[in-house]
Amino acid sequence: MNEIKIFGHKNPDTDSIVSAIVLEKMEKTLGNTAVKAYRLGNVNKETKYALEYFGVNEPELLEKVEEGQKVMLVDHNGFDQSVDGIENASIVKVVDHHNIAESFKTAGPLYIVAMPYGCNSTLLAKLCKINNIDIDKTMAGLLLSAIISDTLLFNSPTCTDIDKQIAKELAKIADVDINKYGLDMLKAGTDLSDFKPEELINIDSKTYSTNGVKYQVAQVNTASIPDVLSVKEKIENAMNKFMQENSIDLYVLMITDIIENNSQIIVLGKQEIAEKAFNVKIENNTAFLEGVVSRKKQVVPYIDNVL
Ligand code: MG
Ligand code: MG
Ligand code: MG
């Protein structure tokens, strides 16, 4: 119970896994030895590629927390995306790069750092610098992988100059070519061949609640949108099932082309909200969003705006 558990969001992405690992290391270096990194779900193929490349084990799985458990949140703050039992946990620290969610609340005082960078790992790299913590080759490689992942190799509108600058410094320490390594890593994440539809929609999926409307935005990266659309009906069945089981009002699945930097969306539920948000006509449950790759900057705020 004395242990402080560190974790990112459910359906963890590379940034959530790396942020937890690096914050654990940072805390320990600063003398806080009671911390331990966890993951709230399976590690995706892209993250696996990065962990294997730099020889790091994935964190242990955490399914729920008991009342009063001390926790540190990274790469998220909304309770919809956090561990089961978070409402009664004791949040002692948050390091994040998202907006503060409606559902976020703490009973006690806390240490909170939030910066609007394209990646939480950029913020952690900065915190290491501020605290004079040496970033070794392994840590640099992991942090760089997370930045490449969250910014889609600097192509996302969420990417800032700070992300680019820190990534360059990290690539030097990690001794990798950013573009070569980055594309290989992103491509490892687009291998969807052995996913069942219900798994595919859960690789990178987040829940939001705004003004009483509960919605889900999931994203899959691909090098070929038509490949993913070839199983559109099966995907829609899985989305419908998820919506029923979780009382979701609107479900948007972004199928993102990481080469061309566009997204095709499949929308179920209150489609009129999405039509208004993106100013498109949804036909046959789908629409094409040119130049849209970021859930955080190009999708969620527009839905919230309508709501
Ligand atoms: Mg994330
Ligand atoms: Mg992130
Ligand atoms: Mg992401």
Side-chain angles (χ1 to χ4, degrees), residues 241-254:
K241 190 161 173 259
F242 183 92
M243 289 176 77
Q244 274 166 17
E245 285 169 359
N246 297 280
S247 318
I248 302 288
D249 302 305
L250 166 70
Y251 198 137
V252 179
L253 171 68
M254 304 168 65

Side-chain angles (χ1 to χ4, degrees), residues 13 150 204 295:
D13 55 9
D150 265 18
D204 178 6
R295 167 174 44 205

Side-chain angles (χ1 to χ4, degrees), residues 9 11-16 75-76 97-98 150 204 206 295:
H9 52 77
N11 302 317
D13 55 9
T14 302
D15 193 28
S16 266
D75 194 36
H76 77 298
H97 69 130
H98 293 88
D150 265 18
D204 178 6
K206 291 182 179 178
R295 167 174 44 205

Side-chain angles (χ1 to χ4, degrees), residues 190 192 220-232 235 253-266 286-293:
T190 64
L192 306 171
V220 289
N221 289 343
T222 181
S224 163
I225 289 173
D227 270 10
V228 181
L229 285 181
S230 69
V231 287
K232 178 166 166 282
I235 291 174
L253 171 68
M254 304 168 65
I255 303 162
T256 300
D257 183 330
I258 59 157
I259 311 291
E260 303 292 334
N261 298 305
N262 299 306
S263 291
Q264 184 86 29
I265 49 169
I266 298 177
T286 185
F288 182 71
L289 304 185
E290 195 165 351
V292 169
V293 297

Side-chain angles (χ1 to χ4, degrees), residues 7-9 69-83 85-114 207-210:
F7 46 83
H9 52 77
Q69 171 66 52
K70 283 189 181 162
V71 299
M72 294 183 178
L73 310 185
V74 287
D75 194 36
H76 77 298
N77 63 77
F79 289 3
D80 289 327
Q81 299 164 11
S82 201
V83 73
I86 188 68
E87 294 81 5
N88 300 312
S90 166
I91 301 170
V92 295
K93 190 176 269 200
V94 176
V95 181
D96 191 23
H97 69 130
H98 293 88
N99 64 306
I100 305 297
E102 268 183 22
S103 56
F104 179 74
K105 199 167 79 200
T106 68
L110 76 162
Y111 181 110
I112 179 162
V113 196
T207 309
Y208 302 86
S209 307
T210 301

